Amino acid sequence: MDDFKYLNIVEWAKEYIKTNHLHEGAKFYSEKELCDIHNVSRQTVRQALMTLENDNIIVRRRGSGTFIKSSVKPAASSNITVGVISTYFSDYIFPSIVTGIEKVLKENDVVMQLSITHNQVADETRALKTMLSQDVSGLIIEPSKSALPNPNMALYEKIKQMNIPVVFFNAKYPWSDFPCVAMDDVAAGRIVTEHLWSIGHRRISGIFALDDIQGHKRYSGYMEALLKHNSASAEQNVLWYSTAERKSFFTLSEERILQLLNSSTAVVCYNDNIAVSLLSFCKKHGIKVPEDISIVGIDNAKLAKICEVPLTTASHPHQLLGEKTAQKLMEAIADPGAYQKDEIFTPELIVRKSTQQHKR
């Protein structure tokens, strides 16, 4: 898909510049030449060149061409350690993300130290202090309870003062200026909701995570889509849950969920985990999917394909996101003063059997 192809060109260009020892002022390939080399659209090449330009690797001069602005620095030296702090690891999409991170760190001869927070702020505090005590050269972090006030601001300020590079993945704290690699969660919420609207659903409800910023952003996309179609009751048809109560949510909130389903023809779920749990809930209560109600998830986790009713969902880049996060950190370690922008992946809709046309 073109959204991801441009990253391959970016990485190819960096390797090409490094391997061929191209220095400042050397001429680089034109847009047309890159299109021919990689067999991609001009739009994809332009996106790649824009990224390289933002990273201060090339400069484009109108009427003259594209030139090397600075040579790509070699990867970080060996025997360094990078701390990786993830909310989870053993399930869902997290193994793929961490695999992507580990792949790039291994290629750069970097030792990875992994810590899991279980989305608990206290565990994040402990992990940060441990990493700092072990003199890590950089940190890759998925924030815990990213939508809530966080008591670790002082620790992050200390990290910044120590000039330790940090790259967040999946989300970042609103007050942080460290770069982040994530999926466009607003777009994800919007495209699955638009899909439901396009197949005739008008009473679309939602279930979202309250304490993670991804939940707020996916809710925002859901609301954008429905307000665009003048669906005035959209915000009244939403249930919120905290990640700590995810496993008990469908038991403790049984009556509220049944009321939501009875007033809806379709449901947008925060992620595929919640969507699969909702499928089980519907089966328990004799509600057929998609005949009685359509359900969409987000993330395109493995379980979305293999569950009893395969889920319509929005794609998450999984391992590619992990790879890009680690690449960003390696660049920051090699050049600590370089400014880095957030990297946001555009999701795509994947239609499966959990949704169908609603006949009004």
Side-chain angles (χ1 to χ4, degrees):
M1 66 191 93
D2 277 6
D3 287 325
F4 297 161
K5 280 181 181 177
Y6 84 94
L7 290 175
N8 293 330
I9 299 174
V10 169
E11 296 310 315
W12 172 88
K14 289 179 181 178
E15 186 62 31
Y16 179 86
I17 293 167
K18 183 169 64 175
T19 303
N20 290 277
H21 306 291
L22 299 183
H23 297 291
E24 185 174 351
K27 193 161 186 179
F28 193 58
Y29 287 112
S30 67
E31 279 186 13
K32 185 179 184 307
E33 288 170 334
L34 288 170
C35 288
D36 293 339
I37 291 169
H38 295 281
N39 193 28
V40 294
S41 67
R42 183 154 287 195
Q43 181 181 353
T44 299
V45 167
R46 285 174 180 167
Q47 195 171 2
L49 290 174
M50 189 181 302
T51 300
L52 290 165
E53 196 166 27
N54 289 337
D55 289 344
N56 290 316
I57 292 170
I58 64 165
V59 60
R60 288 182 284 179
R61 300 189 184 117
R62 188 181 296 274
S64 298
T66 303
F67 300 85
I68 307 302
K69 187 172 183 181
S70 63
S71 57
V72 177
K73 299 190 177 182
S77 60
S78 60
N79 299 320
I80 69 169
T81 299
V82 161
V84 177
I85 301 175
S86 178
T87 54
Y88 301 99
F89 171 65
S90 60
D91 63 357
Y92 200 50
I93 62 175
F94 297 99
S96 295
I97 296 173
V98 175
T99 295
I101 293 171
E102 186 178 28
K103 175 178 178 287
V104 171
L105 296 184
K106 187 175 180 180
E107 288 171 354
N108 286 275
D109 196 22
V110 172
V111 177
M112 181 179 81
Q113 182 175 327
L114 179 65
S115 186
I116 307 301
T117 67
H118 304 286
N119 209 34
Q120 298 297 306
V121 173
D123 287 338
E124 180 183 281
T125 306
R126 172 189 52 75
L128 287 170
K129 288 181 176 179
T130 300
M131 300 291 186
L132 291 178
S133 71
Q134 296 181 359
D135 197 27
V136 295
S137 298
L139 290 165
I140 291 173
I141 302 170
E142 184 189 29
S144 299
K145 292 186 170 69
S146 52
L148 302 181
N150 186 283
N152 290 323
M153 287 179 67
L155 265 176
Y156 282 105
E157 184 58 33
K158 180 181 178 182
I159 290 167
K160 189 173 183 180
Q161 290 172 1
M162 293 171 68
N163 294 318
I164 297 174
V166 174
V167 179
F168 285 114
F169 69 94
N170 278 343
K172 73 175 181 179
Y173 297 113
W175 41 264
S176 171
D177 58 359
F178 289 120
C180 177
V181 181
M183 177 178 71
D184 188 336
D185 288 295
V186 175
R190 183 171 58 245
I191 65 172
V192 293
T193 308
E194 284 284 5
H195 166 68
L196 292 171
W197 190 275
S198 72
I199 58 174
H201 294 276
R202 298 296 179 263
R203 291 180 289 130
I204 304 170
S205 59
I207 301 175
F208 298 99
L210 178 66
D211 48 355
D212 286 339
I213 199 70
Q214 297 104 306
H216 292 216
K217 289 184 175 182
R218 293 174 185 189
Y219 164 76
S220 178
Y222 159 85
M223 287 296 297
E224 278 183 19
L226 292 180
L227 291 176
K228 171 187 169 185
H229 297 292
N230 298 315
S231 179
S233 63
E235 62 186 317
Q236 300 166 13
N237 298 325
V238 172
L239 293 181
W240 295 90
Y241 71 96
S242 70
T243 49
E245 67 176 7
R246 177 176 62 85
K247 292 183 179 178
S248 60
F249 174 69
F250 286 90
T251 302
L252 298 178
S253 305
E254 185 172 6
E255 186 175 336
R256 292 166 60 210
I257 296 170
L258 283 172
Q259 289 174 352
L260 189 77
L261 295 177
N262 287 334
S263 63
S264 311
T265 64
V267 184
V268 174
C269 294
Y270 165 63
N271 64 14
D272 295 335
N273 254 340
I274 287 294
V276 169
S277 295
L278 185 58
L279 286 174
S280 298
F281 181 91
C282 288
K283 184 176 181 180
K284 175 184 174 182
H285 291 278
I287 301 169
K288 295 180 180 179
V289 178
E291 294 84 355
D292 299 329
I293 195 155
S294 288
I295 294 174
V296 296
I298 293 174
D299 286 336
N300 193 31
K302 288 182 180 178
L303 53 83
K305 307 172 190 176
I306 63 174
C307 57
E308 189 168 347
V309 183
L311 284 171
T312 294
T313 186
S315 63
H316 184 287
H318 299 179
Q319 182 170 332
L320 184 59
L321 183 141
E323 291 176 9
K324 185 61 184 177
T325 303
Q327 287 162 3
K328 265 194 175 298
L329 187 69
M330 288 296 94
E331 291 165 8
I333 290 172
D335 189 2
Y339 171 72
Q340 287 194 320
K341 295 171 65 176
D342 292 347
E343 187 82 33
I344 306 299
F345 289 90
T346 302
E348 289 189 352
L349 180 69
I350 298 171
V351 179
R352 298 194 180 101
K353 294 182 179 180
S354 67
T355 56
Q356 73 172 21
Q357 187 80 29
H358 178 64
K359 298 176 183 178
R360 288 174 287 161

